[in-house]
Amino acid sequence: MEATRLIKDALAQATGLLTTQPDEALAQTEAILRQAPGLPPAEFLAAQALRRLGQPEAARLRLATLAQRQPTVPALLWELAQAASETGNSAQAIAALEGLTRQQPGVASGWFLLAGELRKLGRTGDAWHADLSGIHASSRDRDLLEAAIAMNEGRLDEAAAILDARLVRLPDDPATIRLLGEVHWRRGDMSAALMLVERAVTIAPGFDLARDFLIRLLLQNNRLTDALTHAEILVQSPLDNPGYALLRASVLVRLGDQAQAAAIYQGLLARKPDQPQLWQNLGHALKTLGRQADAIHAYRQAVQYQPTMGEAWWSLANLKTVKLDAQDVAAMEQALATLALDAATKSEDIFHLHFSLGKAYEDARDYAASFDHYDRGNRLRRTLLTYDADEFAAEVKAASCCFTTTFFMQMGKSGCPASDPIFIVGLPRSGSTLVEQILSSHSRVEGTMELPEMMIIASRLQSRVDEGEFPDFATMIAALTPADRQRLGEEYIDRTRVHRQSDRPHFIDKMPNNWQNVGLIRLILPNAKIIDARRHPMGCCFSGWKQHFARGQAFTYDLGEIGRYYRDYVALMAGFDAAAPGHVHRVHYEHMVADTPGEVKRLLDYLGLPFEEACLAFWRTERAVRTASSEQVRRPIFTDGVDHWRHFAPWLGPLEKALGPVIASYPG
C-alpha cells in the first residue's frame, strides 16, 4: 500500500515537471518504471516527455505498444496521433484520431488534426468532412458562444479579450481565429481581419464559413482574383449549398464575366425555379450581355414569383427601351398597397416601385403623376443615405485650390508613364456610356466598366488627412515624392489589369466620379487621357435624379443637391482646364448627337487614334455594358432625350435655383 502511494506521488511530481522540465520528468518516470515495469501511467508520461524532448519516434513506439493494451483511452489516442504525425506516419495518426473522434466527437481539435493528416495522404474529401465536423464541434464551445454573443451585442473589446485568452491556450484553433477576424472587421481594422481569416482557412481549408467570409472581405477590398480563387474552392465543398455558387457568381459579375455568372444562375433555377432573387440576378447578367428579350423574361419571372419585388420592377423599367403598360401599373400600385399593410416592409421595395411607376407614367406622358412618383421615391431613398453637400463642396474646393499651374510646375514630371488608361469622367447620365461604346468599337481600345481603383487610391490618400497625418489635402498631395507618384500610378495599372480581357493597348475606365480626381490622375498617370462627358445641366441633373442607382451617387436623390454637385463639378473642371490646358478633352452630349462624325473625329484625334468606321456604327459592337444606358447604346444615336427634361420644367425650380449661372453659361 505504501509503495503504491509513493509511486502515485512520484507520478504526480513528474507530471508537474512535464511542461517546464521534460528531461527531469522523463528521468523520474524511468525511475518509476524500474520499480513498476510496464506501468501504463508511467509509460504514457514517459512518451509525453520524449515527444516534448524532440524524440517523437521513441514516443510513438511506446505509445503504440501502450495503445494495443488500452485502445480506448482518449488521452493516449491523442498523444499517439501527435507523435505519429510528427514522425510522418499519417496512417497511424489517422487510425488513432478516428478512434478518438468516435469516442469524443465534441472535441474540435481532434477533428482538425485528423483533417490535416487526411490531406497529407491526398484524401481531400474526407479531410473536408473532418474540418466541417471540427467546426460543428466548435459551435458548442462555451467561450466561443460567449464571444459571439458579446460581438453581436457590440461589446467588441470583451469579445476580443475572450478570444485572445483562448488563443493563448489554443493558438491554432481556426474557429477562434475566424471569430477574432470578424471582431476586427467590425472594429474597422480590415488588414487584421483579412490576416486572421486567411489564417483560419489555411489551418482548416474545409472551414466553409470562414472561406465564405474571406471571399466577402476580399470583395470589399477589390481583390477580385483572390476572391475568385477562394470561390472556386468553396463550390467544391461536400455541402450542397447553393449560396456558394451564388457567391462565385457575384465574384464573376464583379470581374465582368457575365456569361459564366448567367450560366450559374440558370443552373440553379433549373433545380428550383421559384426563386425571384435568382431570376433578378439572371436578368441583370443578361441585360449586361445585351440579351434584352431574355432579360425581360427573367425580370418578369421575378415579379411573377414575388409581385412586391420593387428592384425587379425597376430593373424592367430601367431597360429604358421597355414600356410598362397599364396592367403593369396596376400590378405595381397593388404591390405598394400590399406593402403598406406589412409591418416588415422594406423601404427598398417601396422606393424602387415609386421609381418604376415614375418611368411608367412618364412613358404614358402623364408627367404630373410621373414626377410625383419620382419625387416620392427620391425622398424615401434620401432618408436612407448619408450625404453632406457642404462637406463635399469644401473637399472639391480644396482640390481645386491645390491643383494649380504653379503646383504642377513645382511637382515636376513624374508618375507612371503608361498611356493605357482612358478615363471618361463627368456626371452619371451625361452621355458617358455613349462615348465609351463609341471608343470600345475601335480596334485599339478595350471597354471595361466603371472601375473603382482610382477612387480607392484617392480615398486612401484622403484618409491620411482624416486621420491627422497631414493638416490638409494640399499638404498631403505636395508630400508625395516622385517615387510615391510612380508607385501609385503603377498600382493603378496593376490593379486594373484583372479587368482587361484583350491585348488592345488602351482601356477605358468609365467611373464618372473620377472628375474629382483629375488632378491626382495628372500626377500619377501623366500620359493617361481624360475625357469629360458633359450634358446640359438641366437635362443631366434631372436624368440623374429620376434614376435610381444600385449603389453610390448619394447626391442624386435631391434636386437641390444634385444641382450643387453639378456646379462643383463644373468649377473644378474649369480650374483644371486653366491649370493644365488641353489635358482634358470635353464631349458635349448635344454636339455628339447633332454631329456624330465630327465629334468622333475630334475625340479620336485627341487620343491619337486613326479613324475607324466601326466607331460610327457603335451599336453593332457586342460587349457587356453595365450602366443604366446599356440598351440605349445598342441602337443608333437618337435625339429624343436631349430636351426631355422640359416636360417636367414646372416642377424643377429647386434644380434651376441650385444650378444658378451654369445653366446660362452652358456649354461654355
Side-chain angles (χ1 to χ4, degrees):
M1 194 73 177
E2 179 63 20
T4 302
R5 186 183 64 77
L6 290 173
I7 290 174
K8 185 177 180 181
D9 290 345
L11 279 171
Q13 185 180 17
T15 301
L17 294 169
L18 183 63
T19 302
T20 57
Q21 295 176 271
D23 53 343
E24 185 62 29
L26 179 61
Q28 292 192 20
T29 305
E30 296 289 13
I32 294 169
L33 286 169
R34 283 193 292 273
Q35 297 178 43
L39 182 68
E43 288 285 355
F44 179 61
L45 187 56
Q48 286 182 298
L50 285 166
R51 193 170 72 81
R52 284 155 180 76
L53 287 168
Q55 302 178 49
E57 178 59 18
R60 184 189 69 80
L61 292 172
R62 295 179 82 149
L63 290 164
T65 301
L66 195 57
Q68 290 176 351
R69 294 157 52 194
Q70 297 181 322
T72 60
V73 177
L76 175 56
L77 292 172
W78 174 250
E79 196 71 26
L80 173 59
Q82 293 187 87
S85 175
E86 290 171 14
T87 58
N89 193 334
S90 292
Q92 189 173 46
I94 289 169
L97 289 164
E98 286 177 338
L100 175 65
T101 53
R102 276 194 299 271
Q103 292 183 62
Q104 295 185 328
V107 178
S109 55
W111 289 109
F112 293 133
L113 185 56
L114 174 59
E117 295 305 312
L118 289 166
R119 282 192 180 84
K120 291 177 183 177
L121 296 185
R123 294 170 58 183
T124 306
D126 292 336
W128 205 314
H129 279 288
D131 276 334
L132 290 171
S133 296
I135 296 305
H136 181 68
S138 296
S139 67
R140 299 181 177 87
D141 185 272
R142 179 176 295 178
D143 287 343
L144 292 177
L145 288 171
E146 288 181 2
I149 292 170
M151 179 186 72
N152 290 323
E153 292 179 351
R155 294 179 281 120
L156 301 183
D157 290 344
E158 183 179 336
I162 295 170
L163 297 169
D164 286 336
R166 182 178 170 81
L167 282 178
V168 172
R169 303 193 312 274
L170 301 167
D172 292 321
D173 181 59
T176 305
I177 294 166
R178 191 222 72 89
L179 190 56
L180 186 58
E182 184 172 349
V183 170
H184 281 285
W185 173 69
R186 294 192 184 207
R187 282 173 163 172
D189 188 347
M190 184 64 79
S191 297
L194 273 168
M195 181 185 68
L196 287 162
V197 181
E198 284 176 329
R199 183 177 165 213
V201 169
T202 300
I203 295 169
F207 191 171
D208 287 358
L209 291 177
R211 196 177 298 277
D212 182 298
F213 185 38
L214 175 58
I215 293 166
R216 297 175 193 278
L217 293 179
L218 291 168
L219 286 173
Q220 289 179 26
N221 283 266
N222 208 42
R223 288 172 53 185
L224 303 183
T225 51
D226 292 337
L228 182 60
T229 297
H230 286 285
E232 299 285 7
I233 295 171
L234 187 60
V235 294
Q236 298 172 37
S237 170
L239 297 181
D240 185 17
N241 188 336
Y244 299 162
L246 278 175
L247 186 55
R248 176 171 172 255
S250 69
V251 177
L252 289 166
V253 166
R254 289 277 297 274
L255 283 165
D257 193 344
Q258 309 292 333
Q260 271 204 76
I264 292 171
Y265 299 139
Q266 289 166 332
L268 292 170
L269 286 166
R271 294 168 55 188
K272 196 170 176 16
D274 60 341
Q275 301 294 301
Q277 186 65 53
L278 272 180
W279 281 111
Q280 178 176 277
N281 291 352
L282 176 60
H284 293 340
L286 295 171
K287 179 197 81 164
T288 304
L289 291 168
R291 294 168 54 184
Q292 187 184 98
D294 293 333
I296 292 170
H297 171 73
Y299 290 139
R300 289 207 175 276
Q301 287 293 105
V303 297
Q304 176 183 324
Y305 286 114
Q306 187 177 329
T308 59
M309 193 172 190
E311 187 180 347
W313 280 111
W314 171 243
S315 298
L316 266 175
N318 199 33
L319 285 169
K320 309 301 182 189
T321 54
V322 173
K323 293 188 183 297
L324 300 175
D325 58 24
Q327 186 175 350
D328 292 324
V329 170
M332 288 188 286
E333 296 281 13
Q334 179 57 51
L336 278 177
T338 301
L339 290 169
L341 300 175
D342 185 357
T345 291
K346 294 181 178 178
S347 299
E348 288 83 353
D349 284 321
I350 295 176
F351 67 65
H352 274 120
L353 282 164
H354 280 306
F355 277 102
S356 306
L357 283 163
K359 176 64 166 58
Y361 281 115
E362 182 179 356
D363 289 341
R365 299 178 183 271
D366 186 344
Y367 299 117
S370 172
F371 183 87
D372 178 61
H373 278 290
Y374 282 139
D375 188 49
R376 291 163 69 183
N378 273 290
R379 288 179 185 276
L380 178 55
R381 182 73 177 109
R382 183 64 183 87
T383 64
L384 304 174
L385 296 169
T386 301
Y387 175 71
D388 188 323
D390 292 332
E391 182 179 313
F392 180 78
E395 291 175 2
V396 171
K397 185 175 181 180
S400 185
C401 292
C402 172
F403 295 111
T404 62
T405 304
T406 302
F407 174 80
F408 284 124
M409 290 178 64
Q410 290 173 342
M411 295 297 279
K413 292 184 178 181
S414 62
C416 173
S419 59
D420 307 34
I422 300 172
F423 293 90
I424 301 178
V425 305
L427 264 70
R429 312 296 296 143
S430 63
S432 56
T433 304
L434 172 60
V435 175
E436 178 194 36
Q437 185 74 355
I438 289 169
L439 290 178
S440 298
S441 303
H442 197 283
S443 63
R444 299 186 64 187
V445 180
E446 178 179 0
T448 56
M449 60 183 80
E450 295 180 356
L451 306 180
E453 279 75 13
M454 187 57 67
M455 300 293 289
I456 291 171
I457 291 171
S459 178
R460 193 173 72 232
L461 291 175
Q462 178 61 44
S463 70
R464 299 176 69 182
V465 179
D466 298 338
E467 293 169 6
E469 183 180 352
F470 293 97
D472 52 44
F473 178 83
T475 306
M476 180 272 296
I477 289 292
L480 295 175
T481 66
D484 291 334
R485 303 199 291 272
Q486 180 171 338
R487 175 181 50 78
L488 290 170
E490 290 171 349
E491 176 188 343
Y492 174 84
I493 296 296
D494 290 342
R495 291 176 65 118
T496 54
R497 192 165 282 117
V498 66
H499 300 289
R500 302 177 70 173
Q501 309 298 321
S502 74
D503 58 358
R504 297 184 182 189
H506 301 287
F507 73 97
I508 297 170
D509 180 342
K510 203 190 75 66
M511 175 63 74
N513 310 64
N514 273 330
W515 66 264
Q516 303 162 34
N517 302 317
V518 288
L520 177 62
I521 293 170
R522 176 75 171 79
L523 282 182
I524 70 175
L525 289 162
N527 295 323
K529 299 294 186 180
I530 303 174
I531 298 165
D532 177 13
R534 193 169 294 191
R535 182 179 175 188
H536 188 283
M538 290 295 289
C540 184
C541 293
F542 172 67
S543 186
W545 177 79
K546 69 189 181 78
Q547 174 73 43
H548 177 260
F549 296 93
R551 58 183 177 274
Q553 319 304 6
F555 61 90
T556 63
Y557 299 101
D558 178 275
L559 287 172
E561 288 176 342
I562 195 172
R564 287 189 62 185
Y565 186 93
Y566 189 102
R567 203 171 68 209
D568 291 335
Y569 146 71
V570 168
L572 185 140
M573 295 305 292
F576 188 78
D577 286 344
H583 197 72
V584 171
H585 177 79
R586 192 154 291 111
V587 176
H588 294 96
Y589 175 71
E590 297 80 10
H591 295 173
M592 180 64 80
V593 169
D595 178 19
T596 306
E599 287 298 310
V600 169
K601 183 179 184 306
R602 284 198 327 116
L603 182 57
L604 295 176
D605 286 347
Y606 163 73
L607 296 173
L609 296 174
F611 176 78
E612 291 182 0
E613 286 290 340
C615 294
L616 295 181
F618 58 85
W619 62 90
R620 297 193 182 115
T621 299
E622 294 186 6
R623 55 180 289 269
V625 183
R626 295 179 65 178
T627 64
S629 305
S630 60
E631 298 311 308
Q632 293 167 305
V633 298
R634 291 191 171 107
R635 49 185 183 143
I637 282 181
F638 56 96
T639 60
D640 304 12
V642 172
D643 289 325
H644 188 73
W645 64 271
R646 296 187 185 280
H647 296 300
F648 295 85
W651 304 284
L652 299 182
L655 172 59
E656 187 174 4
K657 180 180 179 181
L659 286 167
V662 301
I663 299 175
S665 65
Y666 184 82

